[in-house]
């Protein structure tokens, strides 16, 4: 008998509508048995942990070797991150030390070390890196399964009877388990945890499967077999809906299917406004393999390649050769289209050599360009790799969190030093490579003119710009509702940056979430923006808005509203 009707809300991270039956997944509880072992049992307990780590790693290796041909391109790299974590000394060696020194049982030692690592990731300011704490948790749960005598992989050999679509409801879903669940009747994912940059979100978007994350208590509130509606656009989960609500959502499903079919017709059409303004629609990527996905989606370049993914989940820095191959791979795939590589963007709360520090406020500490300039050897290695890759395409360098002109001058000096080293080795590189800065600190947006003279281009990172302008951490649930991309101060900073860059003859893009939100496309066009960068899955929605917009008419409307300090309703920017 169905339960009562509920409507739960989370964060919609992959659009679409699914009506189906809930399959509620269990999760390995991290509250495990805590007991101390005898001294004579330490060796055996250490071996038990080592064997469990190896077995879990072997299963992941087997999955990587047999990935389906149509699996998302980034999946192998995500699974490799989990394998690397299993052998990372910060996890394996430190856990073994807890067994040997404190005589903890293996499960207790593993969850204790996992809590330490999880707290370090939670303190990181960058949302993408903060979400990587989920990788640690998922790896630990996988190893705990093996320690408990269960298979490390989630298995669903006997799905519920019937032919209805199935909706996976779980506390969290690892990339490996998403591969196990993909296809067939599993048509949507709902998780208690996660965010816009969690692996569940990334993989769901790549697979074109509706998904809602950050639901909080969905797994506890739902039962197997409940009829559910997943509204990935609104982030709404309707449980045991009435017949009227079911009919409404079936109509929405049909309309959405027609909309997607129409959007596909735009894939090879130019992004040009009604008044003839060419708009560049580029893609944000985290992995080299995603360049091909961006190209297939119709991107005209890579507007943001987050290079820190190459540095994560490992106990040693990637060398120059490894970085060169990654950057060169993207440049070759894009075949002359622009590729913007952001230099390493990590925070003050965790260094890459395994040493841990605790900054008073990591968001305002030694992160991003500050972090790189404080480590010239590491920074030089990355710059040499980028310069070497520049001979294979049109590569640009983007600096994160710039706030001072001396940071630009110091980077140019580091680039000159990297060129001299390459010259001494006889290594070729492009004669000219553009240097740009992220506009995500209000200081650079307010005093943009001197930066426009010192740099070749800008990219506005709206996510951090909003946070720093409004003093709001959107990861903090107590103030997340105050995170407002339409706040007049935020809009004025964006407009000021676009206008100043254009006066100086420098290109400017928006690469934050605002760029991929098609509801805000006309607003940004009205500010004069001509270059957007977003997740590849968002390109067609934004292109449709571009092709139906009259840019100059929108500029008049937006300028009038900004000058009068009027609130701007994007829905009120109706097309002429």
């Amino acid at each position: 008998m169905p339960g009562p009707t509920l409507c739960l809300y989370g964060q919609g991270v992959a659009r679409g509508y699914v009506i189906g039956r809930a399959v509620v997944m269990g999760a390995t509880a991290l509250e495990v048995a805590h007991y101390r072992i005898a001294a004579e049992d330490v060796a055996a307990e250490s071996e038990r942990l080592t064997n469990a780590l190896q077995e879990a790693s072997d299963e992941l290796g087997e999955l990587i070797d047999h990935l389906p041909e149509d699996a998302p391109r980034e999946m192998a790299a995500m699974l490799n991150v989990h394998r690397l974590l299993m052998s990372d000394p910060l996890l394996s060696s430190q856990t073994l030390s807890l067994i040997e020194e404190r005589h903890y049982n293996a499960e207790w030692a593993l969850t204790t070390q996992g809590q330490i690592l999880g707290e370090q990731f939670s303190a990181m300011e960058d949302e993408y890196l903060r979400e990587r704490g989920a990788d640690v948790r998922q790896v630990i749960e996988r190893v705990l399964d093996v320690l408990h005598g269960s298979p490390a992989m989630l298995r669903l050999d006997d799905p519920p009877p019937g032919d209805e679509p199935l909706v996976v409801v779980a506390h969290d879903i690892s990339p490996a388990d998403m591969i196990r669940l993909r296809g067939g009747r599993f048509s949507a994912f709902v998780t208690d945890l996660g965010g816009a940059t969690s692996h569940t979100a990334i993989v769901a978007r790549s697979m074109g499967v509706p998904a809602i994350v950050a639901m909080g208590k969905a797994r506890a509130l739902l039962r197997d077999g409940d009829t559910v509606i997943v509204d990935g656009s609104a982030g709404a989960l309707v449980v045991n809906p009435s017949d009227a609500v079911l009919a409404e959502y079936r109509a929405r499903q049909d309309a959405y299917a027609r909309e997607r079919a129409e959007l596909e017709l735009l894939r090879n059409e130019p992004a040009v406004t009604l008044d003839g303004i060419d708009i560049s629609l580029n893609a944000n990527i985290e992995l080299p393999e995603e360049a091909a996905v961006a190209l297939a989606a119709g991107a005209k370049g890579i507007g943001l390649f987050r290079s820190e993914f190459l540095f994560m989940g490992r106990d040693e820095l990637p060398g120059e050769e490894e970085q060169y191959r990654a950057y060169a791979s993207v440049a070759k795939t894009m075949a002359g289209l622009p590729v913007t590589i952001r230099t390493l963007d990590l925070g003050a709360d965790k260094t890459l050599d395994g040493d841990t520090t605790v900054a008073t406020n990591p968001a305002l500490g030694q992160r991003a360009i500050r972090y790189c300039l404080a480590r010239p050897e590491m920074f030089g290695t990355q710059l040499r790799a980028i310069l070497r890759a520049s001979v294979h395409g049109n590569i640009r360098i983007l600096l994160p969190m710039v706030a001072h002109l001396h940071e630009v001058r110091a980077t140019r000096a580091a680039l000159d030093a990297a060129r001299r080293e390459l010259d001494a080795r006889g290594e070729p590189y492009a004669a000219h490579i553009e240097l740009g800065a992220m506009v995500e600190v209000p200081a650079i947006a307010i005093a943009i003119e001197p930066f426009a003279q010192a740099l070749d281009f800008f990219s506005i990172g709206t996510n951090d710009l909003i946070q720093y302008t409004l003093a709001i951490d959107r990861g903090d649930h107590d103030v997340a509702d105050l995170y407002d991309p339409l706040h007049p101060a935020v809009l004025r900073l964006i407009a000021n940056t676009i206008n100043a860059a254009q006066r100086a003859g420098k290109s400017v893009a928006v690469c934050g979430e605002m760029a991929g939100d098609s509801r805000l496309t006309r607003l940004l066009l009205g500010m004069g923006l001509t270059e957007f960068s977003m997740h590849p899955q968002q390109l067609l929605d934004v292109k449709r808005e571009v092709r139906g917009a009259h840019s100059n008419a929108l500029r008049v409307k937006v300028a009038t509203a900004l000058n009068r300090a009027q609130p701007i309703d994007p829905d009120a920017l109706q097309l002429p």
Side-chain angles (χ1 to χ4, degrees):
M1 181 176 178
T5 298
L6 297 173
C7 189
L8 308 175
Y9 289 92
Q11 184 175 4
V13 293
R15 293 182 61 199
Y17 304 96
V18 167
I19 300 172
R21 294 284 179 185
V23 178
V24 181
M25 302 295 173
T28 302
L30 295 185
E31 293 78 18
V32 299
H34 292 50
Y35 59 88
R36 295 185 186 275
I37 58 175
E40 59 268 24
D41 294 331
V42 165
E45 194 71 1
S46 297
E47 183 179 5
R48 191 165 75 93
L49 174 67
T50 301
N51 290 341
L53 286 164
Q54 187 60 54
E55 183 178 337
S57 178
D58 289 345
E59 285 214 26
L60 283 178
E62 179 75 12
L63 185 57
I64 292 169
D65 291 340
H66 296 90
L67 280 176
E69 291 185 4
D70 59 345
R73 291 175 180 267
E74 60 267 63
M75 183 58 73
M78 290 179 177
L79 298 177
N80 269 317
V81 167
H82 281 208
R83 291 195 78 191
L84 289 167
L85 282 171
M86 289 174 185
S87 60
D88 192 320
L90 284 173
L91 182 65
S92 56
S93 299
Q94 293 298 320
T95 302
L96 287 169
S97 294
L98 290 172
I99 296 174
E100 294 163 2
E101 296 170 9
R102 302 188 188 181
H103 292 187
Y104 286 2
N105 65 304
E107 291 86 349
W108 186 9
L110 187 61
T111 53
T112 298
Q113 183 60 17
Q115 184 176 7
I116 293 170
L117 294 175
E119 289 172 354
Q120 293 170 4
F121 276 98
S122 296
M124 291 184 177
E125 175 63 18
D126 184 274
E127 182 186 12
Y128 180 77
L129 299 178
R130 189 166 59 237
E131 291 287 358
R132 302 290 69 79
D135 294 316
V136 175
R137 183 182 62 255
Q138 290 165 0
V139 162
I140 288 174
E141 290 191 351
R142 192 167 299 286
V143 177
L144 286 173
D145 275 334
V146 177
L147 288 170
H148 294 157
S150 304
M153 295 295 180
L154 180 62
R155 303 191 191 282
L156 278 179
D157 296 325
D158 298 309
D163 56 4
E164 285 184 279
L166 300 180
V167 175
V168 177
V169 182
H171 191 58
D172 197 11
I173 306 175
S174 73
D177 287 335
M178 288 193 77
I179 279 292
R180 294 279 180 172
L181 298 171
R182 67 187 300 276
R185 294 164 56 200
F186 294 100
S187 303
F189 297 100
V190 175
T191 62
D192 293 338
L193 303 180
T197 55
S198 65
H199 280 157
T200 300
I202 293 170
V203 176
R205 285 192 293 262
S206 297
M207 294 166 59
V209 176
I212 307 173
V213 300
M215 292 294 296
K217 299 291 185 181
R219 189 171 64 90
L221 293 173
L222 269 70
R223 300 181 301 184
D224 274 329
D226 278 341
T227 298
V228 294
I229 298 171
V230 177
D231 183 343
S233 303
L237 179 71
V238 185
V239 185
N240 297 318
S242 65
D243 290 342
V245 172
L246 279 173
E248 167 66 21
Y249 270 95
R250 288 193 180 102
R252 292 190 190 187
Q253 273 187 314
D254 292 341
Y256 184 72
R258 290 193 299 270
E259 175 191 342
R260 301 318 297 178
E262 292 172 0
L263 281 177
E264 282 299 319
L265 300 176
L266 299 179
R267 187 173 295 275
N268 297 316
E269 296 297 321
V272 181
T273 63
L274 293 174
D275 49 339
I277 305 298
D278 288 318
I279 306 298
S280 296
L281 300 184
N282 302 321
N284 298 339
I285 65 171
E286 286 89 23
L287 303 162
E289 296 85 354
E290 292 178 333
V293 176
L295 205 57
K300 298 305 179 184
I302 301 300
L304 177 62
F305 179 12
R306 298 182 175 97
S307 64
E308 50 271 7
F309 190 90
L310 300 172
F311 292 75
M312 299 303 295
R314 56 195 302 162
D315 57 353
E316 60 183 17
L317 297 174
E320 180 183 323
E321 190 64 27
E322 180 183 346
Q323 291 189 60
Y324 159 73
R325 289 195 301 269
Y327 306 144
S329 169
V330 175
K332 291 175 183 176
T333 298
M334 299 308 293
L337 295 174
V339 174
T340 304
I341 300 174
R342 186 176 69 185
T343 57
L344 184 62
D345 187 0
L346 284 182
D349 37 28
K350 185 175 187 295
T351 61
L352 288 169
D353 56 9
D355 295 333
T356 300
T357 60
V358 179
T360 303
N361 187 337
L364 306 179
Q366 193 185 76
R367 57 170 295 218
I369 189 60
R370 305 169 184 176
Y371 185 90
C372 290
L373 290 174
R375 293 157 180 79
E377 184 175 346
M378 179 199 74
F379 196 31
T381 298
Q382 182 173 37
L383 293 177
R384 289 194 302 275
I386 294 174
L387 286 171
R388 287 175 57 195
S390 67
V391 301
H392 300 292
N394 181 12
I395 284 181
R396 309 191 304 173
I397 297 175
L398 181 63
L399 307 178
M401 204 184 169
V402 171
H404 303 273
L405 276 173
H406 66 74
E407 293 164 339
V408 177
R409 291 192 289 268
T411 299
R412 289 202 180 276
L415 273 167
D416 289 340
R419 290 187 182 100
R420 288 193 294 271
E421 289 188 54
L422 294 179
D423 288 339
R425 285 160 34 183
E427 294 273 10
Y429 53 86
H432 175 69
I433 185 166
E434 290 189 345
L435 181 67
M438 294 281 291
V439 178
E440 49 195 345
V441 177
I444 186 175
I446 293 169
I448 190 70
E449 287 78 8
F451 291 93
Q453 299 302 317
L455 291 158
D456 300 307
F457 68 96
F458 296 97
S459 189
I460 304 173
T462 53
N463 302 356
D464 273 341
L465 183 61
I466 295 167
Q467 289 195 127
Y468 285 124
T469 302
L470 302 182
I472 290 168
D473 179 2
R474 59 183 176 155
D476 184 340
H477 293 292
D478 292 332
V479 295
D481 61 315
L482 299 176
Y483 181 90
D484 181 13
L486 297 178
H487 190 289
V490 173
L491 297 182
R492 285 190 172 189
L493 289 176
I494 295 172
N496 183 50
T497 301
I498 294 171
N499 292 334
Q502 291 176 345
R503 287 196 303 270
K506 305 297 173 69
S507 66
V508 58
V510 169
C511 65
E513 286 186 15
M514 287 180 70
D517 187 342
S518 60
R519 298 170 300 172
L520 303 180
T521 300
R522 285 173 282 161
L523 172 61
L524 293 172
L525 289 172
M527 291 182 179
L529 188 70
T530 59
E531 187 174 338
F532 297 66
S533 192
M534 65 206 75
H535 189 280
Q537 290 289 335
Q538 298 167 321
L539 281 164
L540 293 181
D541 292 280
V542 172
K543 183 184 287 189
R544 177 181 56 188
E545 292 296 319
V546 167
R547 288 174 58 85
H550 193 289
S551 183
N552 288 316
L554 288 170
R555 293 193 73 163
V556 173
K557 289 185 178 182
V558 172
T560 300
L562 287 175
N563 289 335
R564 295 177 180 174
Q566 295 175 338
I568 296 180
D569 177 6
D571 294 330
L573 296 175
Q574 299 298 325
L575 302 180

